[in-house]
Amino acid sequence: MVNYDKLIFEISREGRIGYSLPKPFATEYTLNDVNPRHMRDETPKLPEVSELDVLRHYSNISQKNFGVETGFYPLGSCTMKYNPKINDEIAGNEAFRNIHPLQPASTVQGWMKIYDELQKALGELTGLSAFSLNPYAGAHGELAGLMIMKAYHEKRGDYKRTKVIVPDSAHGTNPASTAVCGMQVIEIKSNKHGRVDLESLKASLTDEVAGMMLTNPNTLGIFESDICEITKLVHSVGGLMYYDGANLNAILGKARPMDMGFDIMHINLHKTFSTPHGGGGPGSGPVGVIDKLVEFLPNPRIKQLDGHFYLEESLEAIGRVSMFFGNSLVWLRAYAYILTLGKENLAKIGDFATLNANYIKELLKTEYFLPITGPCMHECVFDGLIDVSTGVRTLDVAKRLLDYGMHAPTIYFPLLFHQSIMIEPTETESKQTLDHFVEVMLEIAREAKENPERLKQAPLTTPVGRIDEVFAAKKMILTYKDYLEYLTQ
Ligand SMILES: *Cc1c(COP(=O)(O)O)cnc(C)c1O
Protein backbone atom coordinates (compact mmCIF):
# COMPACT_ATOMS: atom_id res chain seq x y z
CA MET A 1 0.00 0.00 0.00
CA VAL A 2 1.44 3.34 -1.04
CA ASN A 3 1.44 5.89 1.72
CA TYR A 4 -0.05 8.95 0.06
CA ASP A 5 0.84 11.12 3.03
CA LYS A 6 4.38 10.95 1.80
CA LEU A 7 5.90 13.75 -0.19
CA ILE A 8 5.22 13.48 -3.88
CA PHE A 9 8.94 12.95 -4.50
CA GLU A 10 8.91 9.93 -2.24
CA ILE A 11 6.03 8.40 -4.19
CA SER A 12 7.96 8.96 -7.42
CA ARG A 13 9.17 5.89 -9.39
CA GLU A 14 11.63 6.26 -12.22
CA GLY A 15 10.02 6.15 -15.64
CA ARG A 16 6.42 6.45 -14.42
CA ILE A 17 4.47 8.91 -16.52
CA GLY A 18 1.25 10.72 -15.73
CA TYR A 19 0.81 12.89 -18.79
CA SER A 20 0.52 12.72 -22.52
CA LEU A 21 1.35 15.88 -24.39
CA PRO A 22 0.35 16.71 -27.95
CA LYS A 23 3.06 17.27 -30.56
CA PRO A 24 4.47 20.78 -30.34
CA PHE A 25 2.10 23.23 -31.92
CA ALA A 26 4.77 25.18 -33.76
CA THR A 27 6.67 22.38 -35.46
CA GLU A 28 8.75 24.76 -37.55
CA TYR A 29 10.76 25.56 -34.44
CA THR A 30 13.30 23.04 -33.29
CA LEU A 31 15.59 22.97 -30.29
CA ASN A 32 18.28 24.47 -32.50
CA ASP A 33 16.31 27.69 -32.60
CA VAL A 34 16.41 28.08 -28.82
CA ASN A 35 19.10 30.39 -27.53
CA PRO A 36 21.54 28.11 -25.64
CA ARG A 37 21.52 30.65 -22.84
CA HIS A 38 17.96 29.58 -22.06
CA MET A 39 18.67 25.85 -22.23
CA ARG A 40 19.01 23.71 -19.10
CA ASP A 41 22.20 21.79 -18.46
CA GLU A 42 20.30 18.86 -17.06
CA THR A 43 16.72 17.65 -16.99
CA PRO A 44 14.77 19.11 -14.10
CA LYS A 45 14.25 16.73 -11.18
CA LEU A 46 10.50 16.32 -11.20
CA PRO A 47 8.51 13.60 -9.48
CA GLU A 48 7.63 10.73 -11.79
CA VAL A 49 4.12 9.76 -10.84
CA SER A 50 0.88 8.59 -12.41
CA GLU A 51 -2.20 10.78 -12.57
CA LEU A 52 -3.81 8.63 -9.89
CA ASP A 53 -0.78 9.05 -7.60
CA VAL A 54 -1.06 12.81 -7.91
CA LEU A 55 -4.79 12.77 -7.31
CA ARG A 56 -4.55 10.60 -4.19
CA HIS A 57 -1.61 12.55 -2.83
CA TYR A 58 -3.37 15.91 -3.08
CA SER A 59 -6.77 14.59 -2.01
CA ASN A 60 -5.11 13.15 1.09
CA ILE A 61 -3.30 16.30 2.08
CA SER A 62 -6.38 18.42 1.35
CA GLN A 63 -8.22 16.40 3.98
CA LYS A 64 -5.64 17.37 6.54
CA ASN A 65 -6.41 20.99 5.95
CA PHE A 66 -8.63 22.96 8.26
CA GLY A 67 -10.93 25.72 7.10
CA VAL A 68 -14.18 27.52 7.79
CA GLU A 69 -15.82 24.79 5.75
CA THR A 70 -14.51 21.99 7.96
CA GLY A 71 -15.10 23.40 11.42
CA PHE A 72 -15.45 26.31 13.85
CA TYR A 73 -12.72 28.87 13.27
CA PRO A 74 -12.89 31.59 15.96
CA LEU A 75 -9.60 33.28 15.03
CA GLY A 76 -9.81 36.70 16.66
CA SER A 77 -9.31 39.78 14.47
CA CYS A 78 -9.51 37.67 11.31
CA THR A 79 -13.31 37.45 10.83
CA MET A 80 -13.41 33.86 9.60
CA LYS A 81 -17.07 33.96 8.63
CA TYR A 82 -18.82 31.74 6.15
CA ASN A 83 -18.16 32.90 2.61
CA PRO A 84 -21.34 32.24 0.63
CA LYS A 85 -20.78 29.95 -2.35
CA ILE A 86 -22.69 32.20 -4.70
CA ASN A 87 -19.85 34.73 -4.45
CA ASP A 88 -17.33 32.16 -5.62
CA GLU A 89 -19.60 31.06 -8.38
CA ILE A 90 -19.93 34.60 -9.69
CA ALA A 91 -16.19 35.25 -9.38
CA GLY A 92 -15.55 32.04 -11.32
CA ASN A 93 -17.75 33.09 -14.24
CA GLU A 94 -15.60 33.30 -17.33
CA ALA A 95 -17.14 36.59 -18.38
CA PHE A 96 -15.24 38.06 -15.42
CA ARG A 97 -12.38 35.64 -15.13
CA ASN A 98 -11.07 35.99 -18.66
CA ILE A 99 -10.88 39.76 -18.84
CA HIS A 100 -7.40 41.12 -19.38
CA PRO A 101 -6.29 44.19 -17.41
CA LEU A 102 -4.86 45.77 -20.55
CA GLN A 103 -8.14 45.61 -22.47
CA PRO A 104 -9.34 49.02 -23.67
CA ALA A 105 -11.81 50.69 -21.32
CA SER A 106 -14.50 50.61 -23.99
CA THR A 107 -14.55 46.78 -23.80
CA VAL A 108 -14.78 46.54 -19.99
CA GLN A 109 -17.50 49.06 -19.19
CA GLY A 110 -19.39 46.48 -17.11
CA TRP A 111 -16.36 45.82 -14.95
CA MET A 112 -15.74 49.51 -14.45
CA LYS A 113 -19.35 49.97 -13.45
CA ILE A 114 -18.95 47.27 -10.78
CA TYR A 115 -15.82 49.02 -9.50
CA ASP A 116 -17.72 52.27 -9.31
CA GLU A 117 -20.82 50.81 -7.68
CA LEU A 118 -18.78 48.89 -5.11
CA GLN A 119 -16.73 51.92 -4.13
CA LYS A 120 -19.97 53.90 -3.78
CA ALA A 121 -21.53 51.17 -1.62
CA LEU A 122 -18.46 51.20 0.63
CA GLY A 123 -18.80 54.97 0.78
CA GLU A 124 -22.39 54.66 1.89
CA LEU A 125 -21.57 52.09 4.56
CA THR A 126 -18.73 54.18 6.02
CA GLY A 127 -19.76 57.76 5.23
CA LEU A 128 -16.57 58.44 3.28
CA SER A 129 -16.63 60.21 -0.09
CA ALA A 130 -14.67 57.85 -2.32
CA PHE A 131 -12.75 54.58 -2.25
CA SER A 132 -9.95 53.20 -4.35
CA LEU A 133 -10.17 49.43 -4.62
CA ASN A 134 -6.56 49.14 -5.75
CA PRO A 135 -4.69 48.02 -2.58
CA TYR A 136 -4.24 44.25 -2.28
CA ALA A 137 -4.82 43.79 1.47
CA GLY A 138 -5.55 45.53 4.74
CA ALA A 139 -1.93 46.36 5.47
CA HIS A 140 -1.52 47.61 1.92
CA GLY A 141 -4.57 49.85 2.37
CA GLU A 142 -2.96 51.19 5.56
CA LEU A 143 0.18 52.09 3.67
CA ALA A 144 -1.84 53.78 0.89
CA GLY A 145 -3.85 55.66 3.55
CA LEU A 146 -0.75 56.86 5.35
CA MET A 147 0.78 57.97 2.07
CA ILE A 148 -2.38 60.01 1.51
CA MET A 149 -2.01 61.48 5.00
CA LYS A 150 1.58 62.43 4.23
CA ALA A 151 0.72 63.84 0.78
CA TYR A 152 -2.02 66.00 2.34
CA HIS A 153 0.35 67.58 4.86
CA GLU A 154 3.14 67.98 2.31
CA LYS A 155 0.87 69.66 -0.20
CA ARG A 156 0.20 72.31 2.43
CA GLY A 157 3.96 72.69 2.91
CA ASP A 158 3.70 71.18 6.39
CA TYR A 159 6.74 68.90 6.28
CA LYS A 160 7.36 68.53 9.99
CA ARG A 161 4.40 66.21 10.53
CA THR A 162 6.11 62.83 10.65
CA LYS A 163 4.60 61.25 13.76
CA VAL A 164 1.66 58.87 13.89
CA ILE A 165 -0.11 58.03 17.14
CA VAL A 166 -0.90 54.32 17.57
CA PRO A 167 -2.46 52.78 20.70
CA ASP A 168 -0.61 49.94 22.43
CA SER A 169 -3.49 47.58 21.60
CA ALA A 170 -3.12 48.12 17.84
CA HIS A 171 -2.60 45.38 15.30
CA GLY A 172 1.08 45.02 14.39
CA THR A 173 0.46 46.21 10.84
CA ASN A 174 -0.34 49.75 12.12
CA PRO A 175 3.14 50.57 13.44
CA ALA A 176 4.67 48.58 10.57
CA SER A 177 2.82 50.60 7.90
CA THR A 178 3.82 53.81 9.67
CA ALA A 179 7.47 52.81 9.55
CA VAL A 180 7.29 51.69 5.91
CA CYS A 181 5.77 55.08 5.09
CA GLY A 182 8.82 56.75 6.64
CA MET A 183 7.02 58.13 9.69
CA GLN A 184 7.55 57.55 13.41
CA VAL A 185 5.19 55.81 15.80
CA ILE A 186 4.11 57.39 19.06
CA GLU A 187 2.66 54.59 21.15
CA ILE A 188 -0.02 55.55 23.66
CA LYS A 189 -1.42 53.55 26.52
CA SER A 190 -4.79 51.93 27.03
CA ASN A 191 -6.64 52.62 30.27
CA LYS A 192 -7.96 49.93 32.59
CA HIS A 193 -11.15 49.67 30.54
CA GLY A 194 -9.10 48.69 27.48
CA ARG A 195 -9.73 52.03 25.76
CA VAL A 196 -7.46 54.83 24.62
CA ASP A 197 -6.21 56.74 27.63
CA LEU A 198 -7.20 60.34 26.93
CA GLU A 199 -4.48 61.83 29.14
CA SER A 200 -1.84 59.79 27.35
CA LEU A 201 -3.31 60.95 24.03
CA LYS A 202 -3.31 64.62 25.07
CA ALA A 203 0.30 64.38 26.16
CA SER A 204 1.34 63.14 22.73
CA LEU A 205 -0.38 65.85 20.69
CA THR A 206 2.03 68.27 19.03
CA ASP A 207 2.27 70.06 15.70
CA GLU A 208 4.48 67.19 14.50
CA VAL A 209 1.57 64.76 14.59
CA ALA A 210 0.47 63.71 11.09
CA GLY A 211 -2.41 61.71 12.46
CA MET A 212 -3.61 58.80 14.53
CA MET A 213 -4.47 55.22 13.59
CA LEU A 214 -7.27 53.52 15.43
CA THR A 215 -9.58 50.58 15.03
CA ASN A 216 -13.03 50.77 16.59
CA PRO A 217 -14.04 48.48 18.18
CA ASN A 218 -10.39 48.08 19.10
CA THR A 219 -8.44 44.84 19.10
CA LEU A 220 -9.80 44.03 22.56
CA GLY A 221 -13.27 43.98 21.06
CA ILE A 222 -14.13 47.12 23.06
CA PHE A 223 -15.91 50.09 21.53
CA GLU A 224 -13.96 53.33 21.98
CA SER A 225 -16.81 55.26 23.58
CA ASP A 226 -14.69 58.45 23.68
CA ILE A 227 -14.20 58.26 19.94
CA CYS A 228 -15.69 61.68 19.16
CA GLU A 229 -13.50 63.28 21.82
CA ILE A 230 -10.44 61.45 20.45
CA THR A 231 -10.98 62.55 16.85
CA LYS A 232 -11.70 66.12 17.99
CA LEU A 233 -8.45 66.24 19.95
CA VAL A 234 -6.36 64.97 17.03
CA HIS A 235 -8.06 67.34 14.60
CA SER A 236 -7.48 70.24 16.98
CA VAL A 237 -3.72 69.96 16.43
CA GLY A 238 -4.08 69.53 12.66
CA GLY A 239 -3.75 65.73 12.55
CA LEU A 240 -5.88 63.34 10.49
CA MET A 241 -7.70 60.28 11.79
CA TYR A 242 -7.06 56.89 10.19
CA TYR A 243 -9.58 54.09 10.74
CA ASP A 244 -8.26 50.54 10.54
CA GLY A 245 -11.40 48.92 9.13
CA ALA A 246 -10.51 45.33 9.99
CA ASN A 247 -13.15 45.37 12.73
CA LEU A 248 -15.88 46.87 10.59
CA ASN A 249 -17.88 43.65 11.00
CA ALA A 250 -18.90 44.80 14.47
CA ILE A 251 -20.51 48.08 13.41
CA LEU A 252 -21.54 47.45 9.83
CA GLY A 253 -24.77 49.23 9.00
CA LYS A 254 -24.97 50.54 12.60
CA ALA A 255 -22.33 53.24 12.82
CA ARG A 256 -20.13 54.95 10.26
CA PRO A 257 -16.44 55.80 10.73
CA MET A 258 -16.96 59.20 9.07
CA ASP A 259 -19.55 60.14 11.74
CA MET A 260 -16.98 59.30 14.41
CA GLY A 261 -14.59 61.80 12.82
CA PHE A 262 -12.35 59.56 10.71
CA ASP A 263 -10.78 60.98 7.54
CA ILE A 264 -9.13 57.95 5.95
CA MET A 265 -9.76 54.22 6.30
CA HIS A 266 -9.23 50.86 4.71
CA ILE A 267 -11.63 47.94 4.58
CA ASN A 268 -10.53 44.32 4.58
CA LEU A 269 -12.93 43.06 1.92
CA HIS A 270 -11.70 39.50 2.50
CA LYS A 271 -12.75 39.73 6.17
CA THR A 272 -15.96 41.74 6.41
CA PHE A 273 -17.18 41.10 2.88
CA SER A 274 -16.47 37.41 2.65
CA THR A 275 -13.66 36.11 0.53
CA PRO A 276 -11.98 32.89 1.69
CA HIS A 277 -8.74 34.09 3.27
CA GLY A 278 -5.91 32.74 5.33
CA GLY A 279 -2.69 31.22 4.09
CA GLY A 280 -1.80 34.57 2.61
CA GLY A 281 -4.51 35.60 0.25
CA PRO A 282 -6.08 36.75 -1.90
CA GLY A 283 -7.15 39.94 -0.24
CA SER A 284 -8.36 43.39 -1.02
CA GLY A 285 -7.93 46.50 1.11
CA PRO A 286 -9.83 49.42 -0.44
CA VAL A 287 -8.75 52.79 0.91
CA GLY A 288 -11.40 55.46 1.42
CA VAL A 289 -11.22 59.16 2.23
CA ILE A 290 -13.29 62.23 3.03
CA ASP A 291 -13.90 64.90 0.41
CA LYS A 292 -10.78 66.99 0.88
CA LEU A 293 -8.50 63.96 0.38
CA VAL A 294 -10.08 62.46 -2.74
CA GLU A 295 -7.46 63.98 -5.05
CA PHE A 296 -4.74 61.93 -3.33
CA LEU A 297 -6.31 58.50 -3.91
CA PRO A 298 -4.07 56.09 -5.85
CA ASN A 299 -3.99 55.97 -9.65
CA PRO A 300 -5.66 54.95 -11.80
CA ARG A 301 -9.10 56.25 -10.80
CA ILE A 302 -12.27 55.18 -12.53
CA LYS A 303 -14.38 58.14 -13.64
CA GLN A 304 -17.66 58.47 -15.42
CA LEU A 305 -18.78 60.97 -18.06
CA ASP A 306 -22.13 60.78 -19.86
CA GLY A 307 -22.61 57.16 -18.80
CA HIS A 308 -19.17 56.15 -20.08
CA PHE A 309 -16.42 54.98 -17.71
CA TYR A 310 -12.81 55.90 -18.29
CA LEU A 311 -9.49 55.75 -16.44
CA GLU A 312 -7.88 58.84 -15.05
CA GLU A 313 -4.40 59.46 -13.70
CA SER A 314 -4.21 62.39 -11.32
CA LEU A 315 -1.02 64.32 -10.65
CA GLU A 316 -1.98 64.91 -7.00
CA ALA A 317 -2.42 61.15 -6.44
CA ILE A 318 0.04 59.22 -4.31
CA GLY A 319 0.83 57.25 -7.49
CA ARG A 320 0.07 53.64 -8.23
CA VAL A 321 -0.03 51.08 -5.45
CA SER A 322 -0.84 48.02 -7.56
CA MET A 323 0.02 46.60 -10.95
CA PHE A 324 -3.37 47.37 -12.46
CA PHE A 325 -6.52 47.86 -10.39
CA GLY A 326 -6.12 45.44 -7.49
CA ASN A 327 -7.62 42.00 -6.87
CA SER A 328 -10.72 42.30 -8.99
CA LEU A 329 -12.26 38.93 -8.18
CA VAL A 330 -12.21 39.79 -4.48
CA TRP A 331 -14.20 42.96 -5.11
CA LEU A 332 -16.59 40.97 -7.22
CA ARG A 333 -17.25 38.67 -4.26
CA ALA A 334 -17.75 41.67 -1.99
CA TYR A 335 -20.09 43.26 -4.50
CA ALA A 336 -22.15 40.06 -4.77
CA TYR A 337 -22.19 39.76 -0.97
CA ILE A 338 -23.44 43.32 -0.48
CA LEU A 339 -26.13 42.93 -3.13
CA THR A 340 -27.35 39.54 -1.91
CA LEU A 341 -27.64 40.73 1.70
CA GLY A 342 -28.99 44.20 1.06
CA LYS A 343 -28.92 47.11 3.48
CA GLU A 344 -31.20 45.63 6.15
CA ASN A 345 -29.35 42.34 6.37
CA LEU A 346 -25.91 43.97 6.34
CA ALA A 347 -27.00 45.83 9.47
CA LYS A 348 -27.77 42.50 11.18
CA ILE A 349 -24.17 41.32 10.78
CA GLY A 350 -22.96 43.54 13.61
CA ASP A 351 -25.89 42.49 15.82
CA PHE A 352 -25.23 38.79 15.53
CA ALA A 353 -21.44 39.06 15.57
CA THR A 354 -21.70 41.05 18.81
CA LEU A 355 -24.34 38.81 20.38
CA ASN A 356 -22.28 35.69 19.63
CA ALA A 357 -19.10 37.11 21.16
CA ASN A 358 -20.91 38.24 24.30
CA TYR A 359 -22.58 34.84 24.64
CA ILE A 360 -19.21 33.10 24.63
CA LYS A 361 -17.69 35.69 26.95
CA GLU A 362 -20.39 35.24 29.58
CA LEU A 363 -20.25 31.45 29.50
CA LEU A 364 -16.48 31.15 29.70
CA LYS A 365 -15.73 33.76 32.33
CA THR A 366 -16.12 31.29 35.19
CA GLU A 367 -12.97 29.43 34.06
CA TYR A 368 -11.11 31.90 31.88
CA PHE A 369 -9.85 35.20 33.21
CA LEU A 370 -11.68 38.18 31.79
CA PRO A 371 -9.34 41.15 32.23
CA ILE A 372 -11.89 43.65 30.96
CA THR A 373 -15.43 43.22 32.13
CA GLY A 374 -18.58 44.68 30.63
CA PRO A 375 -20.01 44.10 27.17
CA CYS A 376 -17.72 43.48 24.22
CA MET A 377 -18.35 43.94 20.53
CA HIS A 378 -17.65 41.24 17.92
CA GLU A 379 -14.83 39.53 19.80
CA CYS A 380 -13.80 38.86 23.37
CA VAL A 381 -10.39 38.58 24.95
CA PHE A 382 -9.44 36.37 27.91
CA ASP A 383 -6.12 36.32 29.72
CA GLY A 384 -5.67 32.55 30.05
CA LEU A 385 -7.19 30.18 32.58
CA ILE A 386 -8.18 31.59 35.97
CA ASP A 387 -6.53 28.70 37.75
CA VAL A 388 -2.84 29.24 37.02
CA SER A 389 -1.67 26.67 39.57
CA THR A 390 -1.85 23.86 37.00
CA GLY A 391 0.83 25.45 34.82
CA VAL A 392 -1.43 25.06 31.78
CA ARG A 393 -0.98 28.03 29.49
CA THR A 394 -2.95 29.56 26.66
CA LEU A 395 -0.80 27.70 24.12
CA ASP A 396 -1.84 24.37 25.65
CA VAL A 397 -5.53 25.30 25.55
CA ALA A 398 -5.21 26.32 21.91
CA LYS A 399 -3.43 23.10 20.97
CA ARG A 400 -5.99 20.97 22.80
CA LEU A 401 -8.84 22.61 20.86
CA LEU A 402 -7.38 21.08 17.70
CA ASP A 403 -8.01 17.63 19.14
CA TYR A 404 -11.67 18.57 19.41
CA GLY A 405 -11.81 19.49 15.72
CA MET A 406 -11.83 23.25 16.16
CA HIS A 407 -9.41 25.90 15.04
CA ALA A 408 -7.71 27.74 17.89
CA PRO A 409 -8.60 31.36 18.62
CA THR A 410 -5.92 34.00 18.18
CA ILE A 411 -3.44 33.64 21.04
CA TYR A 412 -0.85 35.91 22.63
CA PHE A 413 -2.44 38.88 20.85
CA PRO A 414 -3.29 41.57 21.86
CA LEU A 415 0.02 42.04 23.59
CA LEU A 416 -1.55 43.86 26.55
CA PHE A 417 -1.94 40.59 28.44
CA HIS A 418 0.47 37.71 28.89
CA GLN A 419 -1.91 34.84 28.08
CA SER A 420 -4.31 36.44 25.60
CA ILE A 421 -6.99 34.30 23.99
CA MET A 422 -8.95 36.31 21.47
CA ILE A 423 -12.20 34.75 20.30
CA GLU A 424 -14.16 36.02 17.32
CA PRO A 425 -17.06 33.69 16.59
CA THR A 426 -18.56 35.81 13.73
CA GLU A 427 -22.23 36.15 12.92
CA THR A 428 -22.52 33.02 10.81
CA GLU A 429 -22.25 30.46 13.65
CA SER A 430 -25.31 28.85 15.18
CA LYS A 431 -26.10 28.69 18.88
CA GLN A 432 -25.42 24.93 18.76
CA THR A 433 -21.89 25.50 17.47
CA LEU A 434 -21.23 28.15 20.10
CA ASP A 435 -22.60 25.86 22.83
CA HIS A 436 -20.37 23.05 21.66
CA PHE A 437 -17.32 25.33 21.66
CA VAL A 438 -18.13 26.53 25.19
CA GLU A 439 -18.55 22.93 26.34
CA VAL A 440 -15.15 22.02 24.91
CA MET A 441 -13.45 25.06 26.44
CA LEU A 442 -14.90 24.18 29.85
CA GLU A 443 -13.86 20.55 29.40
CA ILE A 444 -10.31 21.73 28.66
CA ALA A 445 -10.39 23.82 31.86
CA ARG A 446 -11.37 20.64 33.74
CA GLU A 447 -8.62 18.66 32.06
CA ALA A 448 -6.15 21.36 33.07
CA LYS A 449 -6.91 20.56 36.70
CA GLU A 450 -7.13 16.80 36.36
CA ASN A 451 -4.45 15.99 33.82
CA PRO A 452 -2.31 19.02 33.05
CA GLU A 453 0.53 16.90 31.61
CA ARG A 454 -1.73 15.57 28.87
CA LEU A 455 -2.73 19.09 27.89
CA LYS A 456 0.87 20.10 27.59
CA GLN A 457 1.33 17.38 24.96
CA ALA A 458 -1.71 18.30 22.89
CA PRO A 459 -2.58 18.01 20.05
CA LEU A 460 -2.70 14.24 20.20
CA THR A 461 -4.90 13.46 17.18
CA THR A 462 -3.64 15.76 14.42
CA PRO A 463 -1.28 14.58 11.61
CA VAL A 464 1.57 16.51 13.23
CA GLY A 465 1.87 17.34 16.90
CA ARG A 466 3.58 20.40 18.34
CA ILE A 467 5.82 22.00 15.86
CA ASP A 468 8.67 24.36 16.53
CA GLU A 469 6.82 27.44 15.33
CA VAL A 470 9.83 29.74 15.43
CA PHE A 471 11.87 27.29 13.39
CA ALA A 472 8.99 26.77 10.96
CA ALA A 473 8.70 30.51 10.37
CA LYS A 474 12.41 31.32 10.26
CA LYS A 475 13.66 28.36 8.28
CA MET A 476 11.10 27.60 5.65
CA ILE A 477 11.39 24.28 3.91
CA LEU A 478 9.76 25.01 0.60
CA THR A 479 11.36 22.50 -1.75
CA TYR A 480 12.20 18.82 -1.64
CA LYS A 481 15.85 19.78 -1.87
CA ASP A 482 15.50 21.94 1.28
CA TYR A 483 13.85 18.97 2.95
CA LEU A 484 16.65 16.56 2.08
CA GLU A 485 19.19 19.07 3.34
CA TYR A 486 17.22 19.46 6.53
CA LEU A 487 17.19 15.67 7.04
CA THR A 488 20.96 15.44 6.75
CA GLN A 489 21.60 18.21 9.26
C1 LIG B 1 -6.24 41.72 9.65
C2 LIG B 1 -5.95 43.01 10.27
C3 LIG B 1 -5.10 43.94 9.64
C4 LIG B 1 -4.30 43.63 8.39
O1 LIG B 1 -5.04 43.22 7.32
P1 LIG B 1 -4.47 42.25 6.19
O2 LIG B 1 -5.56 42.19 5.18
O3 LIG B 1 -4.18 40.96 6.84
O4 LIG B 1 -3.23 42.89 5.64
C5 LIG B 1 -4.95 45.18 10.23
N1 LIG B 1 -5.57 45.48 11.39
C6 LIG B 1 -6.36 44.59 12.04
C7 LIG B 1 -7.02 45.01 13.33
C8 LIG B 1 -6.57 43.33 11.51
O5 LIG B 1 -7.35 42.46 12.15
Side-chain angles (χ1 to χ4, degrees), residues 11 96 187 262 283 285 314 323 331 344 363 366 409 437 439 466:
I11 298 169
F96 295 114
E187 188 182 285
F262 286 97
S314 144
M323 273 293 278
W331 339 313
E344 307 76 46
L363 292 177
T366 51
F437 172 72
E439 218 172 88
R466 287 210 184 183

Side-chain angles (χ1 to χ4, degrees), residues 192-194 220 368-374 380-384 416-417 420-421:
K192 65 177 192 295
H193 308 292
L220 296 167
Y368 293 86
F369 181 63
L370 198 58
I372 292 166
T373 50
C380 56
V381 179
F382 292 95
D383 188 8
L416 293 182
F417 313 116
S420 291
I421 307 178

Side-chain angles (χ1 to χ4, degrees), residues 31 35 38 45 68 113 140 152 167 178 194 243 260 292 324 339 345 351-353 355 375 452 479 481:
L31 278 184
N35 186 331
H38 301 310
K45 288 195 179 57
V68 175
K113 184 169 181 207
H140 194 198
Y152 163 78
T178 304
Y243 182 75
M260 301 176 198
K292 70 174 176 190
F324 294 103
L339 291 187
N345 291 315
D351 285 342
F352 285 108
L355 180 64
T479 66
K481 215 170 120 206

Side-chain angles (χ1 to χ4, degrees), residues 156-175:
R156 295 179 303 109
D158 198 349
Y159 292 97
K160 64 181 177 305
R161 292 189 185 266
T162 57
K163 304 213 156 85
V164 177
I165 301 170
V166 180
D168 57 2
S169 64
H171 193 268
T173 52
N174 293 185

Side-chain angles (χ1 to χ4, degrees), residues 77 137-139 142 171 173-174 215 219 244 246-247 266 268 270-271:
S77 208
E142 286 175 29
H171 193 268
T173 52
N174 293 185
T215 175
T219 56
D244 173 343
N247 293 331
H266 78 262
N268 304 59
H270 45 288
K271 292 179 180 171

